[in-house]
Amino acid sequence: MKTISNIVDLQNELFEAHKEGKEIGLVPTMGALHEGHASLIRRSVKENAVTVVSVFLNPTQFNDKGDLERYPRTLDADCKLIEDCGADICFAPSVKDIYPEPDNRHFEFPPQTTVMEGAHRPGHFNGVCQVVSRLFYIVKPTKAYFGEKDWQQIAVVKRLVKYIGMDKKLKIVECPTIREDDGLAKSSRNTLLTPEERQIAPKIYAELKASVDYAKEHTVQETHDKVVADLNAVDGLDVEYFEIVDGNTLLDVPSWEASPYIVGCITVNCGHTPIRLIDHITYKK
Ligand code: PAF
């Protein structure tokens, strides 16, 4: 595996693969890699001739400076994991490489960018679109891999790919959420939880799972209210939002009959710092 930090070196390295029409898989990451990322990388290695894993902690998608400062940085361990998974290139550029000048482009794809994470983290998806579009232009992959844990992000990236005219040549591959044995969705932020917070965090997914049965006998509003009340009753958990939405438009549904595809999306603040944990559950598909 090669570790490359410079865009020209990366493009030279990919030149032959592009010329020969080889499949190139891109796994965009912000580092602090875990088993969830490993599953994306392994899948890309299986499905492509060349796999590039980008490790770039993108400042433009953090609306909270503290969150960016706290974000774990583990480049050596990341490179080892990327190599162990069989990827060909770890692309670890600097902020100057990705943004030689401030990125003034503004991406807005309502409602996907304006609801839920978009409403609670202003500018977040604009930053995601800035960096993901840069990576797509630089690598020109045939497939790009994203985890379903960041479910809304996938919907946004699909809109982005159409908007920048890459949808005919680039497939967005959605990969299942990888969970700890106790159900907590794997996330780089989990390492920031104290042992006490780590103990209560699995209650989020347990509640979401239990709500699927509850939903069979209750309305959307009742299901929503129960999830929020149960989780807020746990000392150390504070629901930022829980929305039960149409899986395509991401807009709230008034009833279970309103759509054939319904998903519940949640963000919970855990502990005193607090650490934002996001998760989702499918009610209907
Ligand atoms: O999901 C992430 O880790 C980031 O949002 C991404 C897609 C790597 C862009 O920085």
Side-chain angles (χ1 to χ4, degrees):
M1 187 203 64
K2 288 194 174 150
T3 301
I4 298 177
S5 58
N6 172 292
I7 294 174
V8 175
D9 291 348
L10 176 70
Q11 291 184 324
N12 285 339
E13 190 64 33
L14 292 174
F15 182 78
E16 286 300 322
H18 278 302
K19 207 169 103 187
E20 290 165 20
K22 286 186 175 161
E23 302 256 290
I24 298 174
L26 170 67
V27 184
T29 82
M30 296 203 297
L33 304 185
H34 50 69
E35 199 45 45
H37 298 107
S39 72
L40 309 187
I41 300 169
R42 287 196 204 98
R43 179 147 173 204
S44 173
V45 168
K46 243 190 228 157
E47 296 180 354
N48 299 281
V50 178
T51 289
V52 179
V53 181
S54 61
V55 178
F56 179 67
L57 188 51
N58 175 36
T60 71
Q61 71 186 75
F62 286 82
N63 60 322
D64 172 355
K65 259 192 148 228
D67 192 20
L68 174 61
E69 274 156 21
R70 277 193 301 275
Y71 206 87
R73 291 153 168 88
T74 57
L75 185 60
D76 290 344
D78 294 343
C79 289
K80 182 164 180 344
L81 179 141
I82 294 167
E83 181 159 31
D84 289 349
C85 289
D88 304 278
I89 298 170
C90 167
F91 177 49
S94 68
V95 173
K96 268 251 161 316
D97 282 306
I98 294 294
Y99 302 116
E101 54 185 76
D103 194 334
N104 291 319
R105 295 172 303 159
H106 189 73
F107 296 94
E108 201 69 76
F109 304 114
Q112 282 83 355
T113 49
T114 51
V115 298
M116 299 190 289
E117 286 298 285
H120 289 260
R121 298 180 73 189
H124 168 65
F125 285 125
N126 186 46
V128 169
C129 289
Q130 288 176 340
V131 73
V132 168
S133 61
R134 283 284 283 150
L135 291 168
F136 286 171
Y137 290 134
I138 293 166
V139 177
K140 296 187 181 59
T142 29
K143 292 196 183 104
Y145 295 77
F146 293 86
E148 281 174 353
K149 183 187 151 285
D150 295 306
W151 188 79
Q152 187 176 358
Q153 175 170 271
I154 294 181
V156 171
V157 169
K158 284 182 171 169
R159 294 278 311 268
L160 170 73
V161 171
K162 267 203 182 138
Y163 177 75
I164 62 177
M166 285 187 154
D167 55 314
K168 300 283 179 295
K169 288 195 169 165
L170 166 59
K171 183 173 185 305
I172 301 302
V173 183
E174 303 172 33
C175 303
T177 305
I178 305 295
R179 297 184 180 278
E180 303 287 355
D181 290 343
D182 57 17
L184 177 65
K186 296 232 184 199
S187 162
S188 306
R189 286 190 172 84
N190 292 354
T191 58
L192 302 173
L193 297 168
T194 64
E196 295 74 33
E197 291 161 0
R198 177 64 190 79
Q199 282 234 308
I200 55 171
K203 291 188 190 294
I204 301 166
Y205 187 59
E207 181 68 30
L208 291 179
K209 261 194 348 195
S211 77
V212 174
D213 270 345
Y214 185 85
K216 290 179 187 148
E217 307 289 333
H218 296 84
T219 65
V220 167
Q221 190 64 50
E222 286 165 346
T223 306
H224 168 274
D225 293 351
K226 179 175 164 47
V227 167
V228 173
D230 285 356
L231 288 175
N232 280 342
V234 178
D235 194 23
L237 295 184
D238 181 20
V239 178
E240 190 171 310
Y241 67 83
F242 176 52
E243 293 194 24
I244 298 179
V245 300
D246 178 291
N248 293 313
T249 64
L250 275 53
L251 294 173
D252 287 354
V253 290
S255 72
W256 299 119
E257 292 71 42
S259 166
Y261 181 20
I262 298 182
V263 179
C265 299
I266 197 160
T267 290
V268 180
N269 288 301
C270 183
H272 294 293
T273 310
I275 306 302
R276 276 181 109 246
L277 299 174
I278 74 172
D279 210 335
H280 71 281
I281 192 96
T282 302
Y283 290 106
K284 255 177 105 176
K285 192 166 185 179

